[in-house]
Amino acid sequence: MIGGPTIDIQYRDIAFASTGEGVGVNFLTGPNYLVGAAIAYDRGRIERDDFTNLRGFGNIDPAPVAKIFGSYVISKQFPLVIRADARQIIGGANGAVADIGVYMPLPGSSKNFVMFAGPSVTLATHHYLQNEFGVTPSESLASGHPVFDPHAGLNAAGFGFSSTKFFGHHWMLNLDAAYSKLLGSAGDSPVTERSAQHVVTLSVDYQF
């Protein structure tokens, strides 16, 4: 269990800064669509955090991430949201990753209690997967893992759920849950110890 503060600052529908999404602007907005760009960060990877498995691989340094994103809502009658983003990691893992997801409100949602759920997929370039999941000949000698050369393409698939309960005009309680499974080269890599992951976060937020 990990705890900590979250920050989410928004200026109308134009600009934002948050601990999760980085600093960015929405440069195209409409009644049912949004397109923007942001600078975020990738935390990298520290060898000593899993030294038994990653011995000989070295660290992947934290690095800035350039991101473009967009979302589209089908209609008010059918509020299915399609969201996609593409991220280029500048240094560190030094590759590109893209996410595509769809979600929509669930039955039981109301003005003061909103629930969303939907699936998503992640794709990645060969360079990113090589740094994160590949094993070079020298790394194989140091770690004991067999040499592994990943191929670009599907990286993961998952399903997410999010709910928000509003208390008055300022307070809200958020519950987010997500399940993700590594696929393709990421799932087949000898570096991968667990292909399936799940995350649950609970937060209390105050909106000024």
Side-chain angles (χ1 to χ4, degrees):
M1 180 179 294
I2 300 175
T6 60
I7 299 173
D8 187 4
I9 301 171
Q10 298 188 32
Y11 175 68
R12 299 180 179 176
D13 290 329
I14 301 173
F16 61 87
S18 75
T19 50
E21 298 295 329
V23 178
V25 294
N26 303 318
F27 51 80
L28 285 177
T29 58
N32 63 334
Y33 65 88
L34 181 149
V35 180
I39 295 294
Y41 64 92
D42 180 76
R43 294 185 300 174
R45 186 177 70 192
I46 300 176
E47 181 185 52
R48 68 172 180 271
D49 286 346
D50 188 11
F51 189 73
T52 301
N53 187 44
L54 298 177
R55 183 180 70 254
F57 285 85
N59 298 333
I60 297 177
D61 295 329
V65 177
K67 178 170 69 172
I68 58 173
F69 58 87
S71 62
Y72 180 80
V73 183
I74 300 298
S75 67
K76 289 184 178 180
Q77 293 74 26
F78 186 61
L80 178 71
V81 181
I82 303 171
R83 180 175 175 85
D85 69 70
R87 308 183 301 280
Q88 174 64 49
I89 303 172
I90 306 168
N94 197 24
V97 183
D99 294 309
I100 303 171
V102 296
Y103 59 92
M104 67 182 304
L106 297 179
S109 296
S110 65
K111 183 178 179 180
N112 295 319
F113 180 58
V114 181
M115 295 184 292
F116 288 90
S120 65
V121 295
T122 302
L123 303 107
T125 62
H126 173 267
H127 202 156
Y128 172 85
L129 291 172
Q130 177 61 49
N131 288 328
E132 290 281 356
F133 299 99
V135 183
T136 65
S138 61
E139 290 169 342
S140 176
L141 287 174
S143 67
H145 291 306
V147 173
F148 183 74
D149 184 24
H151 56 80
L154 191 62
N155 180 41
F159 190 87
F161 168 83
S162 179
S163 65
T164 302
K165 173 65 176 177
F166 296 92
F167 299 93
H169 298 292
H170 299 287
W171 290 97
M172 63 190 82
L173 178 67
N174 293 301
L175 173 66
D176 297 309
Y179 171 85
S180 179
K181 183 173 178 60
L182 295 175
L183 302 174
S185 293
D188 296 336
S189 170
V191 177
T192 299
E193 295 182 291
R194 291 182 299 173
S195 61
Q197 304 176 22
H198 63 274
V199 177
V200 178
T201 62
L202 180 66
S203 64
V204 178
D205 301 322
Y206 182 84
Q207 179 175 282
F208 292 94

